[in-house]
Amino acid sequence: MPLSIFGFQALWSPYFIGVIIFLTVIYFLVTVTWRKDFKVSEPLKKSEAIYFLLAMIVLYVIKGSPVDLLGHIMFTVHMIQMAFLLLLVPIFLIKGIPWWVWSVVVNAPVVRKVFKIFTQPLVAIFLFIALFSFYHIPSIFDTIKLSETAHGLYTFVLFVAAVFMYWPLLNTVEGQHQLKPLYKIAYIIGNAVLITPACALIIFASNPMYATYTDADVWLKAMELCVPQSTLSGLSLSGPELFSSMSPLSDQQVGGVLMKIIQEIIFAVILARVFRKWWNSERKDPDEITANALKEFQQQTIYK
């Protein structure tokens, strides 16, 4: 059955397009037009603008395009959504927003205390893993998916936790937690290990765990999060099997596998970049020492 039966609003989320455009306009106003009002002379870097635009594009694709609708029909697509939303978009945002904007945000009176606590490496990693694992407990998952308020609130909290988790790795704001290269490597590996049990429970479950993808009545109720109720009431739908040839168990298992694969790829890229930067700095130091020593020797010789 084609997805077009759900209508334009459910497929393309025009209101969300408005939100994305609004955020993008505000971003360029702050970083370009209003920059001098913050007494900042440093111009917006091309790489920062690209990272931010990538964040907005990916955010719209996974939460505003037909992918979001598919995420309510197939657990596999839902897990792909979660992987990109929690593991990729925060990277783009942290790197896309200039350091001086972040400095204003994280040093605000209320925010400062929150960031100081929740960006501590151990706190950040365990908070994110705990929230992610808790979300995928079947009873919790189904409850959240049936409430638009609960779903929106929990997704936002989980996203903020993801930003906290990445902050010690990526931020460049003076005075904020910045791990040394070897600690970053251990941090990334630890994160990959700790998220594995939640994915393993999904992958190796012997039965489908989530009623919002298996029970027709519960699924139809959950669909109200992205499809207007007036549209749903005019359709005769028996369940998500109308849109997918995969069995519920296969759908669940594939979703868990893809979540883990995407997570491993993203972490591997970060790990490679951290290792390369650390390796280059280690190789560079002896050269700098030799150059400085030679320069000092020459100065002493001239002086004599």
Side-chain angles (χ1 to χ4, degrees), residues 95-108:
K95 295 180 73 67
I97 297 176
W99 68 269
W100 58 270
V101 177
W102 276 120
S103 182
V104 171
V105 173
V106 302
N107 287 311

Side-chain angles (χ1 to χ4, degrees), residues 91-150:
I91 297 175
F92 290 158
L93 278 183
I94 293 174
K95 295 180 73 67
I97 297 176
W99 68 269
W100 58 270
V101 177
W102 276 120
S103 182
V104 171
V105 173
V106 302
N107 287 311
V110 177
V111 179
R112 185 191 304 124
K113 295 181 180 180
V114 174
F115 256 76
K116 185 175 182 180
I117 295 172
F118 291 108
T119 57
Q120 293 284 344
L122 289 179
V123 174
I125 191 171
F126 280 107
L127 175 67
F128 174 72
I129 297 300
L131 287 172
F132 179 84
S133 301
F134 181 76
Y135 176 65
H136 286 97
I137 295 173
S139 58
I140 302 298
F141 183 91
D142 289 334
T143 300
I144 291 174
K145 291 280 281 185
L146 291 176
S147 169
E148 185 174 0
T149 301

Side-chain angles (χ1 to χ4, degrees), residues 23-208:
L23 292 176
T24 303
V25 170
I26 292 296
Y27 172 81
F28 283 106
L29 284 175
V30 171
T31 58
V32 179
T33 306
W34 299 339
R35 174 170 49 87
K36 293 182 180 179
D37 295 337
F38 291 92
K39 298 180 180 179
V40 176
S41 58
E42 183 176 330
L44 177 67
K45 297 177 183 177
K46 182 179 179 180
S47 60
E48 292 171 336
I50 291 173
Y51 274 123
F52 183 84
L53 290 175
L54 283 174
M56 294 298 100
I57 291 170
V58 174
L59 188 58
Y60 175 72
V61 169
I62 61 178
K63 296 299 291 182
S65 75
V67 171
D68 187 49
L69 180 60
L70 276 172
H72 287 78
I73 296 172
M74 298 179 64
F75 186 79
T76 294
V77 179
H78 163 77
M79 292 303 281
I80 294 173
Q81 276 185 291
M82 296 296 288
F84 281 98
L85 177 66
L86 302 177
L87 301 177
L88 188 61
V89 174
I91 297 175
F92 290 158
L93 278 183
I94 293 174
K95 295 180 73 67
I97 297 176
W99 68 269
W100 58 270
V101 177
W102 276 120
S103 182
V104 171
V105 173
V106 302
N107 287 311
V110 177
V111 179
R112 185 191 304 124
K113 295 181 180 180
V114 174
F115 256 76
K116 185 175 182 180
I117 295 172
F118 291 108
T119 57
Q120 293 284 344
L122 289 179
V123 174
I125 191 171
F126 280 107
L127 175 67
F128 174 72
I129 297 300
L131 287 172
F132 179 84
S133 301
F134 181 76
Y135 176 65
H136 286 97
I137 295 173
S139 58
I140 302 298
F141 183 91
D142 289 334
T143 300
I144 291 174
K145 291 280 281 185
L146 291 176
S147 169
E148 185 174 0
T149 301
H151 185 262
L153 183 61
Y154 199 95
T155 301
F156 176 76
V157 170
L158 195 51
F159 181 79
V160 172
V163 173
F164 289 155
M165 182 269 292
Y166 274 123
W167 190 255
L169 287 173
L170 304 174
N171 91 88
T172 57
V173 179
E174 185 176 349
Q176 291 294 308
H177 298 294
Q178 296 179 13
L179 295 173
K180 295 180 180 179
L182 285 177
Y183 291 160
K184 286 184 177 181
I185 293 172
Y187 187 83
I188 296 167
I189 295 173
N191 203 327
V193 170
L194 289 172
I195 205 173
T196 299
C199 293
L201 287 174
I202 295 171
I203 295 169
F204 297 109
S206 57
N207 296 296

Side-chain angles (χ1 to χ4, degrees), residues 138-294:
S139 58
I140 302 298
F141 183 91
D142 289 334
T143 300
I144 291 174
K145 291 280 281 185
L146 291 176
S147 169
E148 185 174 0
T149 301
H151 185 262
L153 183 61
Y154 199 95
T155 301
F156 176 76
V157 170
L158 195 51
F159 181 79
V160 172
V163 173
F164 289 155
M165 182 269 292
Y166 274 123
W167 190 255
L169 287 173
L170 304 174
N171 91 88
T172 57
V173 179
E174 185 176 349
Q176 291 294 308
H177 298 294
Q178 296 179 13
L179 295 173
K180 295 180 180 179
L182 285 177
Y183 291 160
K184 286 184 177 181
I185 293 172
Y187 187 83
I188 296 167
I189 295 173
N191 203 327
V193 170
L194 289 172
I195 205 173
T196 299
C199 293
L201 287 174
I202 295 171
I203 295 169
F204 297 109
S206 57
N207 296 296
M209 298 190 299
Y210 304 109
T212 44
Y213 289 94
T214 56
D215 186 295
D217 293 333
V218 179
W219 170 75
L220 198 60
K221 181 68 176 176
M223 287 290 288
E224 293 179 7
L225 269 65
C226 61
V227 181
Q229 190 173 9
S230 58
T231 301
L232 283 176
S233 62
L235 300 173
S236 297
L237 301 173
S238 60
E241 71 279 356
L242 294 173
F243 305 90
S244 173
S245 59
M246 280 199 295
S247 68
L249 182 59
S250 297
D251 181 31
Q252 178 178 296
Q253 292 172 336
V254 172
V257 170
L258 288 178
M259 174 71 186
K260 187 60 181 171
I261 290 174
I262 294 171
Q263 175 250 317
E264 293 289 352
I265 292 173
I266 293 173
F267 282 4
V269 172
I270 299 174
L271 188 63
R273 290 174 65 90
V274 169
F275 184 81
R276 184 178 64 182
K277 186 176 181 180
W278 170 71
W279 178 255
N280 289 338
S281 66
E282 289 294 310
R283 292 179 61 188
K284 184 178 179 181
D285 286 342
D287 295 337
E288 289 182 350
I289 293 172
T290 302
N292 291 335
L294 180 60

